[in-house]
């Protein structure tokens, strides 16, 4: 952050960057909710993960503060898309009586991820390396969504096609 002179008189820009990220999460909640309903959960999960990999890694190489903010905004959109789509898939695949417990465990895993991020931030002092490391870790989620989600999704769930005026179960 010293490179962009975000200390002393410009230190408020760090808070602005975080607010821009949170705004991206707000937009992502709306956009990915609509996107996952219209194009499918698997497509939305993979799109969000791919967007996170690209935007997060690009943010690590951003040459200016405004470019960094734009990339962080898009990372926020992607992050919320991943979380919302994953939660929807988990709830759709879980029997009704177990949904509360699965949701609690999912939230624990998100909290555990924040704790791991804190540990990584302690070990990786350069913010660009930290940003890149965290973004590249989403490759695992992308591979998971291509393999495991397709196996589970195609094998266990019937396809519900909703057209204006009628729903078809195939």
């Amino acid at each position: 952050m010293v490179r962009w002179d975000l200390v002393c008189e410009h230190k408020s820009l760090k808070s602005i960057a975080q607010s821009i990220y949170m705004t991206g999460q707000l937009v992502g909640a709306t956009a990915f909710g609509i996107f996952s309903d219209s194009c499918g959960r698997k497509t939305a999960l993979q799109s969000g993960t791919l967007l996170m990999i690209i935007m997060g890694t690009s943010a690590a190489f951003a040459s200016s503060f405004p470019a960094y903010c734009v990339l962080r905004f898009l990372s926020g959109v992607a992050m919320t898309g991943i979380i919302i789509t994953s939660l929807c898939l988990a709830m759709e695949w879980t029997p009704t009586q177990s949904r509360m417990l699965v949701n609690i465990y999912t939230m624990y895993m998100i909290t555990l991820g924040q704790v791991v991020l804190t540990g990584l931030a302690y070990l990786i002092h350069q913010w660009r390396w930290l940003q890149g490391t965290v973004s590249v870790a989403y490759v695992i989620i992308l591979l998971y969504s291509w393999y495991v989600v397709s196996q589970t999704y195609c094998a266990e769930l019937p396809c519900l096609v909703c057209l204006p005026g009628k729903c078809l179960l195939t």
Side-chain angles (χ1 to χ4, degrees):
M1 295 296 159
V2 174
R3 179 178 179 189
W4 293 325
D5 195 27
L6 298 183
V7 292
C8 299
E9 69 270 1
H10 298 293
K11 67 181 178 182
S12 64
L13 292 178
K14 289 192 287 186
S15 297
I16 291 172
Q18 186 62 27
S19 296
I20 289 171
Y21 176 77
M22 298 304 281
T23 304
Q25 288 189 324
L26 177 68
V27 170
T30 304
F32 270 93
I34 295 167
F35 181 64
S36 69
D37 285 343
S38 62
C39 296
R41 309 274 189 255
K42 180 181 173 190
T43 304
L45 179 62
Q46 290 173 344
S47 300
T49 306
L50 192 59
L51 183 66
M52 186 63 169
I53 292 167
I54 294 168
M55 295 303 129
T57 305
S58 298
F61 297 106
S63 59
S64 67
F65 183 70
Y68 173 76
C69 287
V70 168
L71 294 168
R72 286 292 290 162
F73 174 83
L74 294 171
S75 294
V77 170
M79 175 59 76
T80 303
I82 293 168
I83 291 172
I84 285 177
T85 307
S86 298
L87 283 172
C88 284
L89 282 172
M91 292 303 107
E92 289 172 355
W93 290 344
T94 305
T96 306
Q97 66 273 15
S98 303
R99 287 183 180 174
M100 183 177 68
L101 193 59
V102 168
N103 197 16
I104 290 170
Y105 287 145
T106 303
M107 292 301 134
Y108 282 151
M109 291 301 110
I110 291 172
T111 303
L112 180 64
Q114 292 297 313
V115 171
V116 169
L117 179 62
T118 304
L120 279 174
Y122 179 77
L123 295 172
I124 304 172
H125 298 286
Q126 295 291 324
W127 72 269
R128 290 181 187 272
W129 282 102
L130 178 63
Q131 179 77 37
T133 302
V134 170
S135 298
V136 170
Y138 281 94
V139 171
I140 295 167
I141 295 173
L142 186 62
L143 294 174
Y144 174 80
S145 71
W146 272 333
Y147 179 70
V148 175
V149 173
S150 2
Q151 298 294 325
T152 307
Y153 199 82
C154 293
E156 295 180 4
L157 289 179
C159 180
L160 182 63
V161 180
C162 291
L163 302 170
K166 60 182 173 180
C167 285
L168 307 171
L169 188 61
T170 59

